[in-house]
Amino acid sequence: MRTYAIGDIHGYIDELRRAHRLIAEDRARTGDWDAPVVHLGDLVDRGPDAAGVIDLLSEGIAAGEPWVVLKGNHDRMFVGFMEDPMRRDPGLSERHTWLAPALGGLDTLASYGVGTEGREVAQIQADALHRVPEAHREFLKALPTSYRRGDLMFVHAGVRPDVPLDAQVEDDLVWIRSPFLEDTRNHGALIVHGHTALDAATHHGNRVNIDTGAGYGRPITAAVFEDRDAYILTDEGRVPLRPPY
């Protein structure tokens, strides 16, 4: 069973197009045009064209592309700001809001033409409500938080160890790091995730992390899974991604 996956995007539409191209080239080699492509979330923030990323993905799905798009914590924070600008996502520390420069929300707003300098939060949100298409807000709000396919489970951040996969909650699926990242046990499926940026995609045996830091200007990773076997897609073709044992 073949499944494609794309790591965190963070508004970098050219990198997303490159990932789609690598998948199209792999499809041409295999003749498989039906295998789903799972995007692991964080469509927005930090990069220059969050609006374009949402357009590309929503329009592709509407046109019949076999794409799955999962919700990331940054996508949820964007939706939360649009609904209530004073809302703080439970995953954020008390000293942060979505408008904190390090989180990249200002870049997302700029992609819609929303200026923020010298403006009150209420003014920023009012302008955003005018400029951000309702279809974009509804698209993000409706994104699923997981996708199960065979012996694989795709999520944005990870899962809570010792909780059945069908009982996971959204806060964990979009935000968790510890204790998930330290847990080496079998979770009941191979977990494919992003959220925690690494220099290179890494197979840990019970999970595969393909967030390679697009939010920090590094390339987006595209991968393909043949059942549990993982491969990174490159311009030269597939490169096996194996656990360290």
Coordinates of all heavy atoms in Angstrom, one line a residue, residues 82-163:
M82 N -8.8 34.5 14.3 CA -9.9 35.1 13.5 C -11.3 35.0 14.2 O -12.1 35.9 14.0 CB -10.1 34.3 12.2 CG -8.8 34.4 11.3 SD -8.5 36.1 10.7 CE -9.9 36.4 9.7
E83 N -11.4 34.1 15.1 CA -12.7 34.0 15.9 C -12.6 34.8 17.1 O -13.7 35.4 17.5 CB -12.9 32.5 16.3 CG -13.2 31.6 15.1 CD -13.3 30.1 15.5 OE1 -12.9 29.8 16.6 OE2 -13.8 29.3 14.7
D84 N -11.5 35.0 17.8 CA -11.4 35.8 19.0 C -9.9 36.2 19.1 O -9.0 35.4 19.5 CB -11.8 35.0 20.2 CG -11.6 35.7 21.5 OD1 -11.2 36.9 21.5 OD2 -12.0 35.2 22.6
P85 N -9.6 37.4 18.8 CA -8.2 37.9 18.8 C -7.5 37.8 20.2 O -6.3 37.8 20.3 CB -8.2 39.3 18.3 CG -9.6 39.8 18.7 CD -10.5 38.6 18.5
M86 N -8.3 37.7 21.2 CA -7.7 37.6 22.6 C -7.5 36.2 23.1 O -7.0 35.9 24.2 CB -8.5 38.4 23.6 CG -8.8 39.9 23.2 SD -7.2 40.7 22.7 CE -6.4 40.7 24.3
R87 N -7.9 35.2 22.2 CA -7.8 33.8 22.6 C -6.4 33.4 22.6 O -5.7 33.7 21.6 CB -8.7 33.0 21.7 CG -8.6 31.5 22.1 CD -9.3 30.6 21.0 NE -10.7 31.1 20.8 CZ -11.5 30.6 19.8 NH1 -11.0 29.8 18.9 NH2 -12.7 31.0 19.7
R88 N -5.9 32.7 23.6 CA -4.6 32.1 23.6 C -4.8 30.6 23.5 O -5.5 29.9 24.3 CB -3.9 32.4 24.9 CG -2.5 31.7 25.0 CD -1.7 32.1 26.3 NE -1.2 33.4 26.2 CZ -1.7 34.5 26.9 NH1 -2.7 34.3 27.7 NH2 -1.1 35.7 26.8
D89 N -4.2 30.0 22.5 CA -4.2 28.6 22.3 C -3.7 27.9 23.5 O -2.6 28.3 24.1 CB -3.5 28.1 21.0 CG -3.8 26.7 20.6 OD1 -3.3 25.8 21.3 OD2 -4.5 26.6 19.6
P90 N -4.3 26.8 24.0 CA -3.8 26.1 25.2 C -2.4 25.6 25.1 O -1.8 25.4 26.1 CB -4.8 24.9 25.3 CG -6.1 25.3 24.6 CD -5.6 26.2 23.5
G91 N -1.9 25.4 23.8 CA -0.6 24.9 23.7 C 0.5 26.0 23.8 O 1.7 25.7 23.9
L92 N 0.1 27.3 23.9 CA 1.0 28.4 24.0 C 1.3 28.7 25.5 O 0.5 28.6 26.3 CB 0.5 29.6 23.3 CG 0.5 29.7 21.8 CD1 -0.1 31.0 21.3 CD2 2.0 29.6 21.3
S93 N 2.5 29.2 25.7 CA 2.9 29.7 27.0 C 2.1 31.0 27.3 O 1.7 31.6 26.3 CB 4.4 29.9 27.2 OG 4.8 30.9 26.3
E94 N 2.0 31.4 28.5 CA 1.3 32.6 28.9 C 1.9 33.8 28.3 O 1.2 34.9 28.1 CB 1.1 32.7 30.4 CG 0.2 31.6 31.0 CD 0.0 31.9 32.5 OE1 0.5 32.9 33.0 OE2 -0.7 31.1 33.1
R95 N 3.2 33.8 28.0 CA 3.8 35.0 27.5 C 3.7 35.2 26.0 O 4.2 36.2 25.4 CB 5.3 35.0 27.9 CG 6.2 34.0 27.2 CD 7.6 34.0 27.7 NE 8.5 33.1 26.9 CZ 8.6 31.9 27.2 NH1 8.0 31.3 28.3 NH2 9.4 31.1 26.5
H96 N 3.0 34.3 25.3 CA 2.9 34.3 23.8 C 1.5 34.4 23.4 O 0.6 33.9 24.0 CB 3.5 33.1 23.2 CG 5.0 33.1 23.2 ND1 5.8 32.1 23.6 CD2 5.9 34.1 22.7 CE1 7.1 32.4 23.5 NE2 7.2 33.6 22.9
T97 N 1.3 35.1 22.3 CA 0.0 35.0 21.5 C 0.4 34.7 20.1 O 1.6 34.8 19.7 CB -0.7 36.4 21.5 OG1 0.0 37.4 20.7 CG2 -0.9 36.9 23.0
W98 N -0.6 34.5 19.2 CA -0.3 34.2 17.8 C 0.4 35.3 17.1 O 1.1 35.1 16.1 CB -1.6 33.8 17.1 CG -1.4 33.4 15.7 CD1 -0.7 32.3 15.2 CD2 -1.9 34.1 14.5 NE1 -0.8 32.3 13.8 CE2 -1.5 33.4 13.4 CE3 -2.6 35.3 14.4 CZ2 -1.8 33.8 12.1 CZ3 -3.0 35.7 13.1 CH2 -2.5 35.0 12.0
L99 N 0.3 36.5 17.6 CA 0.9 37.7 17.0 C 2.4 37.9 17.4 O 3.0 38.8 16.9 CB 0.1 39.0 17.3 CG -1.3 39.0 16.7 CD1 -2.0 40.3 17.0 CD2 -1.3 38.8 15.2
A100 N 2.9 37.0 18.3 CA 4.3 37.1 18.7 C 5.1 36.9 17.4 O 4.9 35.9 16.7 CB 4.6 36.1 19.7
P101 N 6.1 37.8 17.1 CA 6.9 37.6 15.9 C 7.5 36.2 15.7 O 7.5 35.8 14.5 CB 8.0 38.7 16.1 CG 7.4 39.7 17.0 CD 6.5 39.0 17.9
A102 N 7.9 35.6 16.7 CA 8.5 34.3 16.5 C 7.6 33.2 16.0 O 8.0 32.2 15.4 CB 9.1 33.8 17.9
L103 N 6.3 33.4 16.2 CA 5.3 32.4 15.8 C 4.9 32.5 14.3 O 4.4 31.6 13.7 CB 4.1 32.5 16.7 CG 4.3 32.0 18.1 CD1 3.0 32.1 18.9 CD2 4.8 30.6 18.1
G104 N 5.1 33.7 13.7 CA 4.9 33.8 12.3 C 3.5 34.3 11.9 O 3.2 34.3 10.7
G105 N 2.6 34.6 12.8 CA 1.3 35.0 12.5 C 1.3 36.3 11.7 O 0.5 36.5 10.8
L106 N 2.3 37.2 12.0 CA 2.3 38.4 11.2 C 2.6 38.2 9.8 O 2.1 38.9 8.9 CB 3.4 39.3 11.8 CG 3.3 39.7 13.3 CD1 4.5 40.5 13.8 CD2 2.0 40.4 13.6
D107 N 3.4 37.2 9.5 CA 3.7 36.8 8.1 C 2.5 36.3 7.4 O 2.2 36.6 6.2 CB 4.8 35.8 8.0 CG 6.1 36.2 8.6 OD1 6.7 37.2 8.2 OD2 6.5 35.6 9.6
T108 N 1.7 35.5 8.1 CA 0.4 35.0 7.5 C -0.5 36.2 7.2 O -1.1 36.3 6.1 CB -0.2 34.0 8.5 OG1 0.6 32.9 8.5 CG2 -1.6 33.6 8.0
L109 N -0.7 37.1 8.1 CA -1.6 38.2 7.9 C -1.0 39.1 6.7 O -1.8 39.5 5.9 CB -1.6 39.1 9.1 CG -2.4 38.4 10.3 CD1 -2.3 39.3 11.6 CD2 -3.9 38.2 10.0
A110 N 0.3 39.3 6.6 CA 0.8 40.0 5.5 C 0.5 39.4 4.2 O 0.4 40.1 3.2 CB 2.3 40.2 5.7
S111 N 0.4 38.1 4.1 CA 0.2 37.4 2.8 C -1.2 37.7 2.3 O -1.5 37.5 1.2 CB 0.3 35.9 3.0 OG -0.7 35.3 3.7
Y112 N -2.1 38.2 3.2 CA -3.5 38.6 2.8 C -3.5 40.2 2.7 O -4.6 40.7 2.5 CB -4.5 38.2 3.9 CG -4.7 36.7 3.9 CD1 -4.0 35.9 4.8 CD2 -5.6 36.1 3.0 CE1 -4.2 34.5 4.8 CE2 -5.8 34.7 3.0 CZ -5.1 33.9 3.9 OH -5.4 32.6 4.0
G113 N -2.4 40.8 2.9 CA -2.4 42.3 2.8 C -2.9 43.0 4.1 O -3.2 44.2 4.0
V114 N -2.8 42.3 5.2 CA -3.2 42.9 6.5 C -2.0 43.5 7.1 O -1.0 42.8 7.5 CB -3.8 41.8 7.4 CG1 -4.2 42.4 8.8 CG2 -5.1 41.2 6.7
G115 N -2.0 44.8 7.3 CA -0.9 45.5 8.0 C -1.1 45.4 9.5 O -2.2 45.4 10.0
T116 N 0.0 45.3 10.3 CA -0.1 45.2 11.7 C 0.6 46.3 12.5 O 0.3 46.6 13.6 CB 0.5 43.9 12.2 OG1 1.8 43.7 11.7 CG2 -0.3 42.7 11.6
E117 N 1.6 47.0 11.9 CA 2.4 47.9 12.6 C 1.6 49.1 13.1 O 0.8 49.7 12.4 CB 3.5 48.5 11.7 CG 4.6 49.3 12.4 CD 5.7 49.7 11.6 OE1 5.8 49.1 10.4 OE2 6.6 50.4 12.0
G118 N 1.7 49.4 14.4 CA 1.1 50.5 15.0 C -0.4 50.4 15.2 O -1.1 51.4 15.5
R119 N -1.0 49.2 15.1 CA -2.4 49.0 15.2 C -2.8 48.1 16.4 O -2.0 47.3 16.8 CB -2.9 48.3 13.9 CG -2.6 49.0 12.6 CD -3.0 48.2 11.4 NE -4.5 48.4 11.1 CZ -5.1 47.7 10.1 NH1 -4.5 46.9 9.4 NH2 -6.4 48.0 9.9
E120 N -3.9 48.4 16.9 CA -4.4 47.6 18.0 C -4.9 46.2 17.5 O -5.2 46.1 16.3 CB -5.6 48.3 18.7 CG -5.3 49.7 19.3 CD -4.4 49.5 20.5 OE1 -4.4 48.5 21.2 OE2 -3.6 50.5 20.8
V121 N -4.9 45.3 18.4 CA -5.2 43.9 18.0 C -6.6 43.8 17.4 O -6.8 43.2 16.4 CB -5.1 43.0 19.3 CG1 -5.7 41.6 18.9 CG2 -3.7 42.8 19.7
A122 N -7.6 44.6 18.0 CA -8.9 44.6 17.5 C -9.0 45.1 16.0 O -9.7 44.6 15.2 CB -9.9 45.4 18.4
Q123 N -8.1 46.1 15.7 CA -8.1 46.7 14.4 C -7.5 45.6 13.4 O -8.0 45.5 12.3 CB -7.3 47.9 14.4 CG -7.8 49.1 15.2 CD -6.9 50.3 15.2 OE1 -5.7 50.1 15.5 NE2 -7.4 51.5 14.8
I124 N -6.5 45.0 13.9 CA -5.8 43.9 13.0 C -6.8 42.8 12.7 O -7.0 42.4 11.5 CB -4.6 43.4 13.7 CG1 -3.5 44.4 13.9 CG2 -4.1 42.2 12.9 CD1 -2.4 44.0 14.8
Q125 N -7.6 42.4 13.7 CA -8.5 41.3 13.4 C -9.7 41.8 12.5 O -10.1 41.0 11.6 CB -9.1 40.8 14.7 CG -9.9 39.5 14.5 CD -11.2 39.5 15.2 OE1 -11.8 40.5 15.6 NE2 -11.8 38.3 15.5
A126 N -10.1 43.0 12.7 CA -11.2 43.5 11.9 C -10.8 43.6 10.4 O -11.5 43.2 9.5 CB -11.6 44.9 12.4
D127 N -9.5 44.0 10.2 CA -9.0 44.0 8.8 C -8.9 42.6 8.3 O -9.2 42.4 7.1 CB -7.7 44.8 8.8 CG -7.2 45.2 7.4 OD1 -8.0 45.1 6.5 OD2 -6.0 45.6 7.3
A128 N -8.4 41.7 9.1 CA -8.2 40.3 8.7 C -9.6 39.7 8.3 O -9.7 39.0 7.3 CB -7.5 39.5 9.8
L129 N -10.6 40.0 9.1 CA -11.9 39.4 8.8 C -12.4 39.9 7.4 O -13.2 39.3 6.7 CB -12.9 39.8 9.8 CG -12.8 39.1 11.2 CD1 -13.7 39.7 12.2 CD2 -13.1 37.6 11.0
H130 N -12.0 41.1 7.0 CA -12.3 41.7 5.7 C -11.5 41.1 4.6 O -12.1 40.9 3.5 CB -12.1 43.2 5.8 CG -12.4 43.9 4.5 ND1 -13.6 44.0 3.9 CD2 -11.5 44.5 3.6 CE1 -13.5 44.6 2.7 NE2 -12.2 44.9 2.5
R131 N -10.3 40.8 4.9 CA -9.4 40.4 3.8 C -9.2 38.9 3.6 O -8.9 38.4 2.5 CB -8.0 41.0 4.0 CG -8.0 42.5 3.8 CD -6.6 43.1 4.1 NE -6.6 44.6 4.1 CZ -6.4 45.3 3.0 NH1 -6.1 44.6 1.8 NH2 -6.4 46.6 3.0
V132 N -9.3 38.1 4.7 CA -9.1 36.7 4.6 C -10.4 36.0 4.2 O -11.4 36.2 4.8 CB -8.7 36.1 6.0 CG1 -8.5 34.6 5.9 CG2 -7.4 36.7 6.5
P133 N -10.4 35.3 3.0 CA -11.7 34.7 2.6 C -12.3 33.8 3.6 O -11.6 33.0 4.2 CB -11.2 34.0 1.3 CG -10.0 34.6 0.9 CD -9.3 35.1 2.1
E134 N -13.6 33.9 3.7 CA -14.3 33.0 4.6 C -14.0 31.5 4.2 O -13.9 30.6 5.1 CB -15.8 33.2 4.6 CG -16.5 32.4 5.6 CD -18.0 32.7 5.7 OE1 -18.4 33.6 5.0 OE2 -18.7 32.0 6.4
A135 N -13.8 31.3 2.9 CA -13.6 29.9 2.5 C -12.2 29.4 3.1 O -12.1 28.2 3.4 CB -13.5 29.8 1.0
H136 N -11.2 30.3 3.2 CA -10.0 29.9 3.8 C -10.2 29.5 5.3 O -9.6 28.5 5.8 CB -8.9 31.0 3.7 CG -8.3 31.1 2.3 ND1 -7.1 31.7 2.1 CD2 -8.8 30.7 1.1 CE1 -6.9 31.7 0.8 NE2 -7.9 31.0 0.2
R137 N -10.9 30.3 6.0 CA -11.1 30.1 7.4 C -11.9 28.8 7.6 O -11.5 28.0 8.5 CB -11.9 31.2 8.0 CG -11.2 32.6 7.8 CD -11.7 33.6 8.8 NE -13.1 33.9 8.7 CZ -13.7 34.9 7.9 NH1 -12.9 35.6 7.1 NH2 -14.9 35.1 7.9
E138 N -12.9 28.5 6.8 CA -13.7 27.3 6.9 C -12.8 26.1 6.5 O -12.9 25.0 7.1 CB -14.9 27.4 6.1 CG -15.9 28.4 6.6 CD -16.4 28.1 8.0 OE1 -16.6 26.9 8.3 OE2 -16.4 29.1 8.8
F139 N -12.0 26.2 5.5 CA -11.1 25.1 5.1 C -10.2 24.7 6.3 O -10.1 23.5 6.6 CB -10.3 25.6 3.9 CG -9.3 24.6 3.4 CD1 -9.7 23.4 2.7 CD2 -7.9 24.7 3.7 CE1 -8.7 22.5 2.3 CE2 -7.0 23.8 3.3 CZ -7.4 22.7 2.5
L140 N -9.5 25.7 6.9 CA -8.6 25.4 8.0 C -9.4 24.8 9.2 O -8.9 23.8 9.8 CB -7.9 26.6 8.4 CG -6.9 27.2 7.4 CD1 -6.2 28.5 8.0 CD2 -5.8 26.2 7.1
K141 N -10.5 25.4 9.5 CA -11.3 24.9 10.6 C -11.8 23.5 10.5 O -11.8 22.7 11.5 CB -12.5 25.8 10.8 CG -13.3 25.6 12.1 CD -14.4 26.7 12.2 CE -15.2 26.5 13.5 NZ -16.2 27.5 13.7
A142 N -12.0 23.0 9.3 CA -12.6 21.7 9.0 C -11.5 20.6 8.8 O -11.8 19.4 8.7 CB -13.4 21.7 7.8
L143 N -10.2 21.0 8.9 CA -9.1 20.0 8.6 C -9.2 18.9 9.7 O -9.3 19.2 10.9 CB -7.8 20.7 8.6 CG -7.5 21.7 7.5 CD1 -6.1 22.3 7.7 CD2 -7.6 21.0 6.1
P144 N -9.0 17.7 9.3 CA -8.9 16.6 10.3 C -7.5 16.7 11.0 O -6.6 17.3 10.5 CB -9.0 15.3 9.4 CG -8.4 15.8 8.1 CD -8.8 17.2 7.9
T145 N -7.4 16.0 12.1 CA -6.2 16.0 12.9 C -5.4 14.7 12.8 O -4.3 14.6 13.3 CB -6.5 16.2 14.4 OG1 -7.5 15.3 14.8 CG2 -7.0 17.6 14.6
S146 N -6.0 13.7 12.1 CA -5.2 12.4 11.9 C -5.8 11.7 10.6 O -6.9 12.0 10.1 CB -5.3 11.5 13.1 OG -6.7 11.1 13.2
Y147 N -4.9 10.8 10.1 CA -5.3 10.0 8.9 C -4.7 8.7 9.1 O -3.5 8.5 9.2 CB -4.9 10.7 7.7 CG -5.2 9.9 6.4 CD1 -6.5 9.8 5.9 CD2 -4.1 9.3 5.7 CE1 -6.7 9.1 4.7 CE2 -4.4 8.6 4.5 CZ -5.7 8.5 4.0 OH -5.9 7.9 2.9
R148 N -5.5 7.6 9.2 CA -5.0 6.3 9.3 C -5.1 5.5 8.0 O -6.1 5.6 7.3 CB -5.9 5.5 10.4 CG -5.4 4.1 10.7 CD -4.1 4.1 11.5 NE -3.6 2.8 11.7 CZ -3.9 2.1 12.8 NH1 -4.6 2.6 13.8 NH2 -3.3 0.8 13.0
R149 N -4.0 4.9 7.6 CA -4.0 4.1 6.4 C -3.1 2.9 6.6 O -1.9 3.0 6.8 CB -3.4 4.9 5.2 CG -3.4 4.2 3.9 CD -3.1 5.2 2.8 NE -2.7 4.6 1.5 CZ -3.6 4.2 0.6 NH1 -4.9 4.2 0.8 NH2 -3.1 3.6 -0.5
G150 N -3.8 1.7 6.7 CA -3.1 0.5 7.0 C -2.4 0.6 8.3 O -3.0 0.9 9.3
D151 N -1.1 0.3 8.3 CA -0.3 0.3 9.5 C 0.4 1.6 9.8 O 1.4 1.7 10.5 CB 0.8 -0.8 9.5 CG 1.3 -1.2 10.8 OD1 0.5 -1.1 11.8 OD2 2.4 -1.7 10.9
L152 N -0.1 2.7 9.1 CA 0.4 4.0 9.3 C -0.6 4.9 9.9 O -1.8 4.8 9.6 CB 0.9 4.6 7.9 CG 1.9 3.8 7.1 CD1 2.1 4.5 5.8 CD2 3.2 3.6 7.8
M153 N -0.2 5.8 10.8 CA -1.0 6.9 11.2 C -0.3 8.2 11.1 O 0.8 8.4 11.6 CB -1.4 6.7 12.7 CG -2.4 7.8 13.2 SD -3.1 7.3 14.8 CE -4.1 8.8 15.1
F154 N -1.0 9.1 10.3 CA -0.4 10.4 10.0 C -1.0 11.5 10.9 O -2.3 11.5 11.0 CB -0.7 10.8 8.6 CG 0.0 9.8 7.6 CD1 -0.7 8.7 7.2 CD2 1.2 10.1 7.0 CE1 -0.1 7.8 6.3 CE2 1.8 9.2 6.1 CZ 1.1 8.1 5.7
V155 N -0.2 12.2 11.6 CA -0.6 13.3 12.5 C 0.3 14.5 12.3 O 1.4 14.3 11.8 CB -0.7 12.9 13.9 CG1 -1.7 11.7 14.1 CG2 0.7 12.4 14.4
H156 N -0.1 15.6 12.9 CA 0.9 16.8 12.8 C 2.0 16.6 13.8 O 3.2 16.7 13.4 CB 0.1 18.1 13.0 CG 1.1 19.2 13.1 ND1 1.9 19.6 12.0 CD2 1.5 20.1 14.1 CE1 2.6 20.6 12.4 NE2 2.4 20.9 13.6
A157 N 1.7 16.5 15.0 CA 2.7 16.5 16.1 C 3.1 15.2 16.7 O 4.3 14.9 16.9 CB 2.2 17.4 17.2
G158 N 2.1 14.3 16.9 CA 2.4 13.0 17.5 C 1.2 12.5 18.3 O 0.1 13.0 18.0
V159 N 1.4 11.5 19.1 CA 0.3 10.9 19.9 C 0.7 10.8 21.3 O 1.9 10.9 21.7 CB -0.1 9.5 19.3 CG1 -0.6 9.6 17.9 CG2 1.1 8.6 19.5
R160 N -0.3 10.7 22.2 CA -0.1 10.6 23.6 C 0.2 9.1 23.9 O -0.7 8.2 23.6 CB -1.3 11.0 24.4 CG -1.2 10.8 25.9 CD -0.3 11.7 26.6 NE -0.5 13.1 26.4 CZ 0.2 14.1 26.9 NH1 1.2 13.8 27.7 NH2 -0.1 15.4 26.7
P161 N 1.4 8.7 24.3 CA 1.6 7.3 24.7 C 0.6 6.8 25.7 O 0.1 7.5 26.5 CB 3.0 7.3 25.2 CG 3.7 8.5 24.7 CD 2.6 9.5 24.6
D162 N 0.3 5.5 25.5 CA -0.6 4.8 26.4 C -2.1 5.2 26.2 O -3.0 4.7 27.0 CB -0.2 5.0 27.9 CG 1.1 4.3 28.2 OD1 1.4 3.2 27.7 OD2 1.9 4.9 29.0
V163 N -2.4 6.0 25.3 CA -3.8 6.3 24.9 C -4.1 5.7 23.6 O -3.3 5.8 22.6 CB -4.0 7.9 24.8 CG1 -5.4 8.2 24.3 CG2 -3.7 8.5 26.2

